[in-house]
Amino acid sequence: MSEYGGRRRQARRDAVTVEIGYALFSAAFAAAVIFGAVAGPALLFRLPSGIEMLLFRTGYVLAPLVFAARVVSVLACFRPDTSRPSGAHPDA
């Protein structure tokens, strides 16, 4: 019985690790897309320097905010299976 509980705890730790990795990867992707969408026109087109600076600064502010919001939203929605005590058998 203790062997089953140990595997269950390890599976729970693995699930948390995968969820954290997914949260970080998807947040980095979302932040890069937001930065590209906001600051991209300044890189592609000749714009007045004031507008270019505004676009870059806006991108630099929004990207970390999107990153943090995505990580928090993914991890807040993740709930490992806590309906059973850690030592309980799944058929019980």
Side-chain angles (χ1 to χ4, degrees), residues 30-83:
V33 168
I34 291 297
F35 181 79
V38 173
L43 295 170
L44 295 174
F45 305 113
R46 277 210 128 117
L47 298 173
S49 64
I51 294 177
E52 281 185 2
M53 187 183 305
L54 176 66
L55 289 175
F56 278 120
R57 286 185 179 174
T58 304
Y60 287 139
V61 169
L62 286 180
L65 292 176
V66 168
F67 181 87
R70 178 68 181 158
V71 168
V72 168
S73 69
V74 168
L75 295 180
C77 291
F78 176 69
R79 299 263 193 278
D81 182 22
T82 57
S83 60

